[in-house]
Amino acid sequence: MSITSDRIAVGDTTPALIDARWVDGPGGYTGVEPTAEWAEEIRRLARARNATLLAHNYELPAIQDVADHVGDSLALSRIAAEVDSDEIVFCGVHFMAETAKILSPDKRVLIPDARAGCSLADSITADDLRAWKDDFPDAVVVSYVNTTAEVKGLTDICCTSSNAVDVVASIDPDRDVLFLPDQFLGAHVKRETGRDNIHIWAGECHVHAGINGDELTAQANAHPDADLFIHPECGCATSALYLAGEGAVGDDRVKILSTGGMIDAARATGAKQVLVATEIGMLHQLRKAAPGIDFQAVNDRASCPYMKMITPAALLRALREGRDEVFVADDVAERARRSVERMIAIGNPGSGE
């Protein structure tokens, strides 16, 4: 464990934060509280660096509130490409910052803690995909955006959870499809398209997979009038459809949604209570979008430890020191960019995951 203390190099600063110190521990950087002075200093440093702050929906509420833009990974990466900034500070996990770099190669992209990984992205490597493609040489590879740059570079077309069905439906029905890496999203796509020639990688997000059907059933029974917002990465998505099919829950109450789709549905629903099956950071944006609705987590322990590594201390450190910078090799970025652009060309890229 190490302790770091630096003075800020640019302009005036908030006195209380001149000697702010942070502890580098196994769970990430700590030691700085998200006070009003902290938020003021974060914004001042961002202006001085000509940086745009992006935060994923699963980040800590304080990180979301200080960001210039909050949303899903693809939506944020597209914003990164459009803004007139020298730097992008991406408060999310590593593959997200890579995607931003792929779509905005001329900008400097920082992630507040480069150790913030992703269990889903880590469930398939480039070597794994090469071997799988060798087994199905004529197949079309469809990769969820929650993958590394190297995997995207070996992909024919990317997808998000909001457009995965449309992407797969756009492919010649006689062609085999290799869908990766999320098995639950893949199962959802297979149900919706009815394809028998879709092969699904057995990967998962450990947080979403841990939201199980028994928990969902118990919560739905305890809150019979609540709507159910279910992310398709969740292990309980099949259970939600089963409950609807059996009549235990009304069809109109079960909504399989991307996180961006949840925001839209929150503004449109007539329900007074909504049970939410995704990472708990999403509750902050839902409550801001529809403050009159009671949003409750199906599993209140569904917190991603990697997302939560982007702490107030980590963000302050990134802006003070200008690190950690994200790099993607030019040849990998060029191939990966094509797979993302093919998805966007189909239309309905959604708002991210």
Side-chain angles (χ1 to χ4, degrees):
M1 181 181 297
S2 62
I3 297 178
T4 306
S5 176
D6 282 331
R7 287 181 175 269
I8 298 165
V10 282
D12 296 329
T13 188
T14 305
L17 288 170
I18 287 179
D19 292 315
R21 300 165 70 85
W22 48 84
V23 177
D24 180 6
Y29 296 97
T30 60
V32 174
E33 294 299 318
T35 61
E37 291 79 13
W38 167 84
E40 180 185 343
E41 181 65 357
I42 292 298
R43 294 187 178 105
R44 188 194 69 78
L45 284 167
R47 289 193 300 270
R49 302 185 71 91
N50 191 24
T52 295
L53 306 182
L54 307 178
H56 190 271
N57 289 317
Y58 296 162
E59 290 298 325
L60 293 165
I63 299 295
Q64 294 186 39
D65 288 344
V66 81
D68 296 306
H69 303 278
V70 180
D72 297 321
S73 60
L74 180 62
L76 293 174
S77 293
R78 295 177 76 182
I79 288 170
E82 294 167 0
V83 296
D84 184 18
S85 300
D86 295 323
E87 293 185 346
I88 301 298
V89 181
F90 206 120
C91 298
V93 294
H94 197 269
F95 80 81
M96 298 178 181
E98 280 189 333
T99 306
K101 183 65 176 178
I102 288 165
L103 294 182
S104 47
D106 296 331
K107 295 186 176 77
R108 192 164 182 252
V109 176
L110 308 177
I111 183 170
D113 193 329
R115 298 167 297 185
C118 172
S119 59
L120 178 56
D122 287 346
S123 69
I124 186 165
T125 66
D127 286 342
D128 290 333
L129 180 51
R130 288 188 188 97
W132 202 23
K133 289 175 69 170
D134 287 344
D135 292 336
F136 297 91
D138 296 322
V140 177
V141 177
V142 178
S143 292
Y144 191 21
V145 292
N146 295 34
T147 47
T148 65
E150 287 192 338
V151 168
K152 287 185 180 74
L154 296 170
T155 293
D156 293 303
I157 182 168
C158 283
C159 72
T160 68
S161 63
S162 59
N163 71 6
V165 172
D166 290 340
V167 166
V168 172
S170 75
I171 297 167
D172 183 337
D174 294 327
R175 296 281 302 274
D176 280 343
V177 173
L178 303 184
F179 188 93
L180 62 103
D182 190 83
Q183 59 183 308
F184 300 112
L185 179 57
H188 170 68
V189 171
K190 186 171 185 176
R191 278 194 303 267
E192 293 294 312
T193 62
R195 290 183 82 119
D196 293 325
N197 59 349
I198 180 170
H199 309 276
I200 301 169
W201 189 260
E204 63 182 31
C205 160
H206 74 286
V207 176
H208 283 100
I211 306 174
N212 62 56
D214 290 343
E215 287 175 326
L216 178 67
T217 301
Q219 291 276 27
N221 289 337
H223 306 278
D225 297 323
D227 275 0
L228 308 181
F229 287 7
I230 315 292
H231 195 283
E233 284 183 42
C234 287
C236 66
T238 300
S239 296
L241 296 174
Y242 175 80
L243 289 171
E246 291 295 302
V249 175
D251 281 346
D252 59 335
R253 288 175 48 209
V254 176
K255 307 177 194 305
I256 309 297
L257 299 164
S258 67
T259 49
M262 287 183 183
I263 296 290
D264 294 337
R267 295 188 176 115
T269 185
K272 294 181 179 179
Q273 186 176 59
V274 175
L275 302 177
V276 182
T278 191
E279 208 274 354
I280 58 173
M282 189 67 212
L283 295 172
H284 185 60
Q285 287 301 311
L286 288 171
R287 289 165 178 162
K288 290 176 70 173
I293 296 173
D294 177 24
F295 292 98
Q296 296 295 327
V298 170
N299 180 337
D300 61 9
R301 304 175 307 284
S303 175
C304 175
Y306 302 111
M307 288 286 186
K308 272 46 177 184
M309 290 178 73
I310 309 304
T311 61
L315 181 53
L316 181 62
R317 166 188 172 272
L319 288 167
R320 282 186 170 182
E321 299 184 357
R323 60 180 192 177
D324 297 337
E325 186 170 359
V326 174
F327 298 94
V328 179
D330 290 344
D331 59 329
V332 173
E334 182 179 355
R335 294 195 307 271
R337 193 176 305 115
R338 287 199 294 265
S339 68
V340 175
E341 289 172 346
R342 288 188 191 111
M343 173 190 69
I344 293 171
I346 287 175
N348 184 30
S351 55
E353 293 155 45

